[in-house]
Amino acid sequence: MNQYRIEDFTKRSDHGDIIAVVYYEKFGGYVRILKDGSVTLVSPAGVVSAKFRELEKRDWLRQNYISQLLAKGIGGKELENALRGIERVDKRLSEEIDSHKGIRDLEERSLEHLKEWSLKRGMDTEKLSEEDLGSLVDAGIKETRNFQR
C-alpha cells in the first residue's frame, strides 16, 4: 500500500472541482477524481479522461467482471453460466426499477383521488393536520366499504 498515496481535497478550501487524487508512485502516475464524476488518469504514457454516468458504471463493472473471468482462463460453459447470471441480475434490477415506478404512480393517483374526494366535500387537504388527514382517510375507507355492500 506504500506505493499509493491518496490526497483528499474535500477538506481544503482551494480544491476547486477536485475531490481526490490517488498517486501510484511505482509508475509515476495518478488518478484525479472530480465532483462531476470525471476521472483523469495521468501517467508518463499520456493522459486519459472519462466521465461515468450511472448506467455506464454498471456497464463498466460488467465489462470489468467479464474481462477478469477471461483473464483467469474461464471460458466455455463456465463463461456462459456467468453471462446468464449477469443477464438475470440485469433483468431483476430492471424489474425492481419498474416496480418502484409503479408504487410511485399508485401513490400519486391516490393523492389525486384524495384531493378530489375532499374538494367535493368542501375540504382543503393542504390545511389539514396529520390527525385530521388520518380521520379523513378513515372516513373515505368507511364510505367506500359501505358503497361496495
Side-chain angles (χ1 to χ4, degrees):
M1 193 62 185
N2 59 356
Q3 294 178 345
Y4 300 97
R5 183 170 48 91
I6 300 171
E7 194 170 349
D8 181 358
F9 284 84
T10 58
K11 295 174 179 63
R12 291 177 42 182
S13 60
D14 64 338
H15 64 84
D17 288 340
I18 299 173
I19 293 174
V21 177
V22 180
Y23 297 94
Y24 187 46
E25 306 293 342
K26 183 176 180 181
F27 294 112
Y30 60 92
V31 176
R32 184 174 39 226
I33 304 158
L34 303 179
K35 287 180 184 176
D36 68 357
S38 299
V39 178
T40 304
L41 170 63
V42 180
S43 75
V47 177
V48 178
S49 292
K51 184 171 181 177
F52 300 102
R53 292 188 329 241
E54 202 60 39
L55 289 176
E56 289 176 334
K57 286 179 186 177
R58 189 183 311 160
D59 292 339
W60 181 81
L61 288 171
R62 182 186 306 112
Q63 180 182 0
N64 196 21
Y65 174 66
I66 293 169
S67 296
Q68 287 177 5
L69 292 175
L70 293 172
K72 290 182 179 186
I74 293 174
K77 278 286 188 201
E78 284 182 295
L79 182 59
E80 196 174 309
N81 289 338
L83 294 174
R84 271 196 232 108
I86 292 169
E87 189 176 337
R88 282 191 304 273
V89 169
D90 283 345
K91 184 179 179 189
R92 190 184 79 235
L93 288 173
S94 174
E95 288 169 355
E96 286 177 9
I97 289 169
D98 288 347
S99 72
H100 290 300
K101 183 181 181 312
I103 290 169
R104 281 193 307 273
D105 290 346
L106 179 60
E107 288 173 349
E108 288 171 11
R109 286 192 316 251
S110 297
L111 283 173
E112 284 303 312
H113 182 72
L114 176 62
K115 285 180 183 178
E116 288 174 22
W117 185 87
S118 60
L119 284 174
K120 286 179 185 175
R121 286 149 184 83
M123 295 178 263
D124 184 1
T125 55
E126 300 295 322
K127 295 179 181 177
L128 296 175
S129 68
E130 289 296 315
E131 189 175 303
D132 292 337
L133 193 56
S135 297
L136 181 61
V137 170
D138 288 341
I141 291 170
K142 286 177 187 171
E143 183 179 312
T144 301
R145 285 183 179 159
N146 289 335
F147 179 73
Q148 291 176 345
R149 289 183 187 164

